[in-house]
Amino acid sequence: PYMVAVMTQALGVEPGHRVLEIGTGSGYQTAVLAVLDAEVYSIERVPELAQRASAILADLDITNVRIRAGDGSLGWPEEAPFDRILVTAGAPSMPQPLLDQLATNGGRLVAPIGPREMQDLVVVWRHGTQWVTEKLLECRFVPLLGREAWELDAEQG
C-alpha cells in the first residue's frame, strides 16, 4: 500500500484524466485510480490475472476501467494519448512506446527504471517533444516483461 500511495501521489491524477496502467495484477492500484474519477486503461501480461481483476472490479461496481491482456511495454496505442501513465513493474529503460503515448502538454509518467535487482522510481513530464525526468526514490519491483522491456525467457512463458 505504501508504494501504491507514493506512485499515485506522484502521478497527480485529476478527475477525467485518461490513465494507462501497465501491470493490472490484482486490480488494487487500478481501483485506486478509478476512485479518483480517472478513465483507466490497464494492461496485464497474464490473461488469468486480467480476467480476475476485471471480475473483482465488476463486483465492486467500478465501471470506469478497461482491462486487457497484452504486452504492457507497448502501451495501448489505439487509445492514446494518455494524461497519465503508471508502470507497476521495473523496466531496464523507459519504453519508448509509453513515452510516445503520453499527452504532449503536461503528460506525466511514473515508473521504476533500472536493473532487475533495484530500480529508481522516476517521474517523467512531457512538454511537446521534451521530456523532463525526476528520480524520486530507490525501489524494487517485479520485472516488466515484453518487447520494449525485459525479454521473456523459457521459465516466464
Side-chain angles (χ1 to χ4, degrees), residues 10 14 28 46 49 64 77 85-86 91 103 110 137:
E14 296 177 11
Y28 179 80
V46 180
L49 286 177
N64 53 329
I85 298 177
L86 181 65
V110 176
L137 53 91

Side-chain angles (χ1 to χ4, degrees), residues 13 28 31 47 50 54 60 74 91 136 142 145 151:
V13 175
Y28 179 80
S54 291
L60 294 171
L74 301 176
L136 296 181
V142 298
L145 303 175
E151 291 186 23

Side-chain angles (χ1 to χ4, degrees), residues 54-65:
S54 291
I56 289 169
L57 294 169
D59 286 347
L60 294 171
D61 200 28
I62 294 176
T63 60
N64 53 329
V65 172

Side-chain angles (χ1 to χ4, degrees), residues 14-140:
E14 296 177 11
H17 271 164
R18 293 171 44 83
V19 179
L20 175 62
E21 177 192 35
I22 307 301
T24 313
S26 69
Y28 179 80
Q29 174 74 73
T30 315
V32 169
L33 296 170
V35 300
L36 295 173
D37 290 329
E39 184 180 341
V40 182
Y41 296 79
S42 189
I43 303 173
E44 173 54 52
R45 187 180 71 81
V46 180
E48 297 80 14
L49 286 177
Q51 292 167 355
R52 183 169 179 232
S54 291
I56 289 169
L57 294 169
D59 286 347
L60 294 171
D61 200 28
I62 294 176
T63 60
N64 53 329
V65 172
R66 291 177 55 195
I67 297 175
R68 77 173 192 187
D71 182 347
S73 74
L74 301 176
W76 200 324
E78 60 273 19
E79 293 295 340
F82 297 98
D83 301 298
R84 302 290 187 260
I85 298 177
L86 181 65
V87 183
T88 64
S93 61
M94 192 64 72
Q96 189 63 46
L98 299 182
L99 291 172
D100 293 342
Q101 292 172 40
L102 200 54
T104 57
N105 191 14
R108 190 180 307 177
L109 185 154
V110 176
I113 303 297
R116 283 185 186 243
E117 299 76 31
M118 185 69 68
Q119 300 92 37
D120 291 321
L121 187 63
V122 299
V123 180
V124 177
W125 290 269
R126 183 172 183 183
H127 303 284
T129 59
Q130 301 294 316
W131 288 270
V132 177
T133 302
E134 177 187 354
K135 179 175 120 176
L136 296 181
L137 53 91
E138 289 185 335
C139 56
R140 185 171 185 189

